[in-house]
Amino acid sequence: MKKKTGDPKQRLLDTATTLFYNQGYHATGINQVIEEAGVARASLYLHYESKESLLLAFLNQRHIDWMAGLKSFTDEASKPKDKIAAAFDFLSDNNEREHFRGCAFLNILSETTEKDTAVLTVIQDHKKDLRAFLGEILTNEKQLIKDHVYLLFESAIVESQLYRNQWPVQEARKMALGLL
Amino acid sequence: MKKKTGDPKQRLLDTATTLFYNQGYHATGINQVIEEAGVARASLYLHYESKESLLLAFLNQRHIDWMAGLKSFTDEASKPKDKIAAAFDFLSDNNEREHFRGCAFLNILSETTEKDTAVLTVIQDHKKDLRAFLGEILTNEKQLIKDHVYLLFESAIVESQLYRNQWPVQEARKMALGLL
Amino acid sequence: MKKKTGDPKQRLLDTATTLFYNQGYHATGINQVIEEAGVARASLYLHYESKESLLLAFLNQRHIDWMAGLKSFTDEASKPKDKIAAAFDFLSDNNEREHFRGCAFLNILSETTEKDTAVLTVIQDHKKDLRAFLGEILTNEKQLIKDHVYLLFESAIVESQLYRNQWPVQEARKMALGLL
Amino acid sequence: MKKKTGDPKQRLLDTATTLFYNQGYHATGINQVIEEAGVARASLYLHYESKESLLLAFLNQRHIDWMAGLKSFTDEASKPKDKIAAAFDFLSDNNEREHFRGCAFLNILSETTEKDTAVLTVIQDHKKDLRAFLGEILTNEKQLIKDHVYLLFESAIVESQLYRNQWPVQEARKMALGLL
DNA sequence: AATGAATGAGTATTCATTCAT
DNA sequence: AATGAATGAATACTCATTCAT
């Protein structure tokens, strides 16, 4: 029993966010969630139908927060090229703050089977939104350039998680800007 | 109890390969492994000292097989550019055969914590080998081009897993070849 | 699933008491405890955090009960010498009721390693209490006499367990009374 | 795999001796025995019918060695009283050498059920031999004195194990000598 | 809205023993 | 005489979920 501020539902979501993201979904037990949230076991099921529904809540919230973070970085720039640079800087920033745990959605994707359609959909929707977001910045570019930037952006996340190092972000940033 | 051919150690590795790759590591229980391998519970621990050591055996074997598969594709071509094209074709082929389950190493990476150093090392070594392999094909290119191809290659795997679709491989292939 | 009366926590403790005392700690599996207590496996861990903590609960309860039994015997007498005689009679009574299983604490001590500090402490504390209890009865005797009685008392327990016979209690009783 | 000198049968016995005595019988697994003896699993069953028969071999050997050790101490003295003193000194010596693990036979007794008749018999025979040995030293004393010394001797072992301290041996020695 | 108690099925791992060589 | 492989049953413990209050 650790956290005690905020309402139980929020505490559960916050705790699940930390644990699912840092340990993985299957490696995180409900016990640990309720214990660290400081909430009774049954209270979890009062607010969330199941462990999976807590996972979905986590992913949905993460989507909102992450996209907002990205937007706040790109909003600082005005020209498309600068916005793209800012987007990569957002990744650097994330890596520092979150110790190179990579993309929450891709991580969960790895634990996801064809059967988990609800989860898969949330993940795909997140990435579609990201792809669209980058595409809108590069509205005057051809589709292949848009996707090229998107794919570099994705590798930057994955590879910096893999190597626990910022070089993939920095290199991918340089490559992406070189395309524009 | 399903499989019955080959020696138990190999059957265990084969079964673990299938299950860890398709369901994830934590989602796969030892019970399922031994049952589908048709082997007694204790026999698993006769050959592998722990579940994690079975995971390592899987990753090590996968590394060998996957690199061999990649090499057999690139060996078909002679010019660097054609070899890179063949490398992407290998990914397409994998996606078809393995139903878009993506990269075994990156999937396990998602379930891996800073503590699992042995696992993390195997994963990183695999990717370093892949990066070196591509780098050698592009021996006359600058480092940034080499890495550019590598990063596109990586996103091609991840994104086709994500969308359950070949388009990321095909687009990344086109982008990569355009760089050369 | 046998017992069904009383709350689960008490049933578990009662069952553990019987089994740990009569079969030994390591020879008793959690399965047998829950089965004979008529309780679900997880319920054990709801009330006791581990098998060792159940052992500690058993020892603590045993200490209370055993000391109470001893006191109820000695309270029947008024003179020190008679109280000591009554103390040995308590041992005879125990041997009959408990089929010469000896001292719960010394039995567990045999299964205890230097590492099990919590268990060792409970055992030592029990014996210190017993030694002090006898010492208070013999408040006017010299320390060596007090300890002499204590040591005879201890052998009486151990040796009657060993021989499955009351003679050590009866002889030790005679020797102890002879000292006073 | 540790030990490598002596024949396998002896190595097994030596290892079992150490482990059964220091950890207890049930707490010691066959795996640990064969591993530390440096012997194949099946070799154990070649020389010993079962784990219990290895236990019996240990107890029988221990009886011989222990009685020999005791005799070598008492043989140093000529008068009965001095021999008894020497017997207690043997206990002190044991405690030092064996880190207060107490009596191998009484320890195993604690793990023994009414059913284990073979084991129980070996234990009882050992103690009967010890009692007779002390009785012969005190051949001119009355039976009650003989047993008195025997009982003090027994508590000295048990209580020094319990407190991890030599005081019970020293006090019991003094008491015993006072009786003669 | 919130909780403590309860559970059946599952976790990874080890048990003592046997068998084919 | 000696061993490596194999096993069915058990080990202590945790899982996600439900229920009565």
Side-chain angles (χ1 to χ4, degrees), chain B residues 7-178:
Chain B
D7 67 310
K9 183 164 187 176
Q10 191 58 45
R11 288 212 305 273
L12 284 166
L13 183 52
D14 291 346
T15 309
T17 295
T18 305
L19 296 176
F20 288 166
Y21 183 47
N22 288 298
Q23 308 182 339
Y25 176 68
H26 285 105
T28 301
I30 236 69
N31 282 352
Q32 196 184 3
V33 175
I34 59 158
E35 211 239 318
E36 300 202 4
V39 154
R41 202 187 307 285
S43 297
L44 191 158
Y45 291 93
L46 179 66
H47 298 292
Y48 302 95
E49 72 175 354
S50 65
K51 189 189 179 189
E52 184 186 321
S53 108
L54 182 57
L55 172 63
L56 289 170
F58 150 55
L59 291 176
N60 286 326
Q61 188 60 52
R62 174 83 182 177
H63 174 64
I64 293 169
D65 295 344
W66 196 89
M67 290 300 290
L70 174 60
K71 188 165 186 307
S72 92
F73 265 73
T74 57
D75 278 353
E76 295 291 309
S78 50
K79 282 181 289 182
K81 197 166 173 176
D82 293 342
K83 280 176 183 285
I84 293 300
F88 279 93
D89 293 340
F90 172 63
L91 296 187
S92 291
D93 189 62
N94 275 347
N95 282 338
E96 291 299 334
R97 278 187 295 100
E98 305 183 325
H99 310 291
F100 297 94
R101 264 304 294 179
C103 174
F105 299 88
L106 294 179
N107 286 340
I108 295 299
L109 176 69
S110 296
E111 299 196 59
T112 297
T113 291
E114 218 62 64
K115 287 177 254 171
D116 313 317
T117 48
V119 175
L120 187 54
T121 299
V122 173
I123 294 171
Q124 290 176 333
D125 286 352
H126 165 73
K127 289 299 183 188
K128 284 175 188 164
D129 275 13
L130 167 60
R131 191 175 164 214
F133 182 85
L134 295 177
E136 275 167 39
I137 292 176
L138 301 173
T139 198
N140 292 324
E141 302 285 346
K142 283 183 292 184
Q143 185 60 38
L144 200 69
I145 294 292
K146 291 176 181 172
D147 283 344
H148 199 144
V149 171
Y150 167 69
L151 290 180
L152 287 171
F153 197 76
E154 287 289 275
S155 358
I157 305 176
V158 170
E159 299 297 305
S160 53
Q161 173 185 10
L162 166 59
Y163 295 108
R164 263 68 171 165
N165 196 292
Q166 298 280 28
W167 74 253
V169 179
Q170 291 155 349
E171 286 208 358
R173 185 184 194 274
K174 197 178 303 177
M175 295 165 194
L177 298 186

Side-chain angles (χ1 to χ4, degrees), chain D residues 40-161:
Chain D
R41 198 188 315 283
S43 298
L44 190 155
Y45 290 91
L46 187 65
H47 297 292
Y48 300 96
E49 199 176 30
S50 64
K51 190 188 179 190
E52 185 186 322
S53 108
L54 182 56
L55 172 64
L56 289 169
F58 150 55
L59 291 175
N60 286 328
Q61 187 62 51
R62 174 84 181 176
H63 174 64
I64 293 169
D65 296 343
W66 197 88
M67 290 301 289
L70 173 59
K71 188 167 187 306
S72 92
F73 264 73
T74 57
D75 278 353
E76 295 290 310
S78 49
K79 283 181 287 185
K81 198 166 174 176
D82 294 342
K83 281 178 182 285
I84 294 299
F88 279 93
D89 294 340
F90 172 62
L91 296 187
S92 290
D93 189 61
N94 275 349
N95 282 338
E96 291 299 335
R97 278 186 296 99
E98 305 184 325
H99 309 292
F100 297 93
R101 264 302 294 177
C103 175
F105 301 87
L106 294 180
N107 286 340
I108 295 299
L109 176 68
S110 296
E111 299 197 59
T112 297
T113 293
E114 220 60 64
K115 285 175 262 173
D116 313 316
T117 48
V119 175
L120 188 53
T121 299
V122 173
I123 294 170
Q124 289 175 334
D125 286 351
H126 164 74
K127 289 299 183 189
K128 282 176 189 164
D129 275 12
L130 166 61
R131 192 175 164 214
F133 182 86
L134 295 176
E136 276 167 37
I137 291 175
L138 302 172
T139 195
N140 292 324
E141 304 284 347
K142 283 182 293 186
Q143 185 60 37
L144 201 69
I145 294 292
K146 291 175 181 175
D147 283 345
H148 199 145
V149 171
Y150 168 70
L151 290 180
L152 288 171
F153 198 75
E154 288 289 274
S155 342
I157 305 175
V158 170
E159 299 296 305
S160 52
Q161 174 184 9

